[in-house]
Amino acid sequence: MFNTPFTVKLARTLWLNAYRAQITDASGEYCATLRLFPQIPLDRQDVPENAPEAKLYLVILVEDAPMLTDDNLVSFETPVSVVVMEELGKLGMYPDSCQFVYPNLMTELEQPIQQ
């Protein structure tokens, strides 16, 4: 398991509305590197009158998390989502929800090519 509470160090990137985050545990040990992509809805004036209301949500790309396993996924995502969303709140962004994404390029590369 993880030594919570987690802390997050947030940095802006060169892309609009993209951030990089480093997650450490209660003892200051490195836990993960994340890429954050707040999905900001268009202004109401830029959409049709009858368009549904879209809310701000957050995509969290987990770039590196060496201690993460299938068994501790929930105990990682739950506290990480809280600290990340609190940190974005300091920037005036209040996501309604978040979605974690775990790319694994090696798994994809190891798959046989379908003819």
Side-chain angles (χ1 to χ4, degrees):
M1 289 302 192
F2 295 99
N3 187 8
T4 56
F6 289 124
T7 57
V8 60
K9 187 186 294 184
L10 200 60
R12 286 197 82 151
T13 65
L14 295 175
W15 293 274
L16 184 62
N17 297 324
Y19 300 85
R20 189 162 187 148
Q22 182 180 27
I23 305 296
T24 53
D25 66 12
S27 60
E29 295 293 318
Y30 169 81
C31 291
T33 299
L34 312 174
R35 188 78 56 151
L36 311 176
F37 300 99
Q39 303 300 301
I40 302 170
L42 294 171
D43 288 332
R44 290 302 298 173
Q45 66 189 23
D46 296 331
V47 298
E49 226 176 84
N50 60 348
E53 182 181 340
K55 297 184 180 191
L56 173 71
Y57 73 95
L58 178 65
V59 175
I60 301 175
L61 175 72
V62 180
E63 291 181 341
D64 181 52
M67 298 186 309
L68 193 60
T69 66
D70 290 342
D71 296 331
N72 63 13
L73 195 63
V74 173
S75 65
F76 172 78
E77 284 186 0
T78 303
V80 166
S81 63
V82 170
V83 297
V84 165
M85 290 168 98
E86 285 175 356
E87 196 67 24
L88 287 177
K90 294 176 186 176
L91 300 174
M93 287 185 261
Y94 302 95
D96 190 54
S97 61
C98 65
Q99 174 183 359
F100 283 81
V101 178
Y102 299 89
N104 189 338
L105 186 57
M106 289 311 294
T107 302
E108 293 299 318
L109 291 176
E110 292 168 356
Q111 298 295 323
I113 298 173
Q114 301 292 325
Q115 297 281 338

